[in-house]
Amino acid sequence: MAELSDPTDHFKDYSARLAQTLQAFDWAPVKALAEDLFGCWQEKRQLFLIGNGGSAGNANHLANDFMYPLSKTLGSGIRAHALTENPAVLACLANDEGYDHVFTYQLAVMANPGDILLAFSGSGNSPNILKALEEAKRRGVKSYAVVGFGGGKAKEMADVAIHFPVDDMQIAEDTQTILGHMIVQWLYKHRHHVKAA
């Protein structure tokens, strides 16, 4: 049996690669997202989050964070919906319309002009993400795509691309959660500027 490498060395290398990815980043598109989400919060517009696999988990997680932890006040939070969270809806749409349309059909029912779509994708090429970006444009919904690797087609299709050019799926997914948590903490600092319902 081959000798195992020291996991500590791997952990240090991973930490260094993640830190380098973040330190080299131009935060301008994340600033734009934070400011748009603040406006969304003030004006009671909706935020939709989508993704596949680990990115779907991040969409669910951050929908929670944008709904409650950014304020922790009854009646105050972003009207955030993870379109990944209802397995019955996903199974129905995947079965009847195909998996490529699991997000578009939900947006077509719930989205209004002025709402925001936040798409998470490692590759930026998932067909259901791309079709959701198209649907958002049709409905006057501003779209942000958080992508890794080369950015894929989503980098060009989104209104605003947040591209972390890292060829590592785990680090690409880390960046999704990290920028979400950064924004939640920034919004929390300004919670007193938003009236509860």
Side-chain angles (χ1 to χ4, degrees), residues 72 74 99 128 164 173-174 176 187-188 191:
K72 297 186 179 179
L74 182 64
Y99 191 68
N128 58 4
F164 291 92
E173 290 177 347
D174 290 340
Q176 299 166 5
L187 291 170
Y188 184 79
R191 65 196 181 279

Side-chain angles (χ1 to χ4, degrees), residues 63-125:
N64 165 74
D65 286 5
F66 288 126
M67 190 278 296
Y68 170 71
L70 59 76
S71 174
K72 297 186 179 179
T73 301
L74 182 64
S76 177
I78 294 176
R79 297 171 63 202
H81 312 278
L83 302 185
T84 52
E85 65 190 353
N86 189 326
V89 169
L90 292 173
C92 170
L93 292 174
N95 183 69
D96 290 7
E97 302 297 336
Y99 191 68
D100 291 0
H101 296 284
V102 294
F103 302 135
T104 56
Y105 272 74
Q106 294 184 74
L107 286 172
V109 171
M110 294 190 288
N112 297 311
D115 290 341
I116 295 173
L117 173 67
L118 180 53
F120 296 134
S121 177
S123 70
N125 285 318

Side-chain angles (χ1 to χ4, degrees), residues 17-181:
R17 288 184 286 123
L18 176 58
Q20 182 180 15
T21 299
L22 297 174
Q23 289 169 357
F25 193 66
D26 175 4
W27 294 98
V30 181
K31 175 181 182 286
L33 174 60
E35 292 171 347
D36 271 349
L37 288 178
F38 184 78
C40 184
W41 186 13
Q42 280 190 313
E43 297 166 14
K44 306 299 182 188
R45 291 180 278 119
Q46 299 178 103
L47 167 65
F48 299 96
L49 301 97
I50 60 175
N52 294 290
S55 297
N58 288 341
N60 289 354
H61 174 153
L62 290 170
N64 165 74
D65 286 5
F66 288 126
M67 190 278 296
Y68 170 71
L70 59 76
S71 174
K72 297 186 179 179
T73 301
L74 182 64
S76 177
I78 294 176
R79 297 171 63 202
H81 312 278
L83 302 185
T84 52
E85 65 190 353
N86 189 326
V89 169
L90 292 173
C92 170
L93 292 174
N95 183 69
D96 290 7
E97 302 297 336
Y99 191 68
D100 291 0
H101 296 284
V102 294
F103 302 135
T104 56
Y105 272 74
Q106 294 184 74
L107 286 172
V109 171
M110 294 190 288
N112 297 311
D115 290 341
I116 295 173
L117 173 67
L118 180 53
F120 296 134
S121 177
S123 70
N125 285 318
S126 299
N128 58 4
I129 298 291
L130 302 180
K131 290 186 182 303
L133 292 171
E134 291 174 351
E135 187 66 22
K137 194 169 295 292
R138 277 194 291 272
R139 299 195 169 273
V141 172
K142 187 170 184 178
S143 63
Y144 285 82
V146 183
V147 291
F149 294 85
K153 295 178 182 177
K155 180 180 175 183
E156 307 304 324
M157 293 175 63
D159 292 318
V160 180
I162 300 174
H163 178 214
F164 291 92
V166 56
D167 294 337
D168 183 309
M169 185 60 78
Q170 283 67 52
I171 290 180
E173 290 177 347
D174 290 340
T175 63
Q176 299 166 5
T177 306
I178 289 168
L179 73 84
H181 286 166

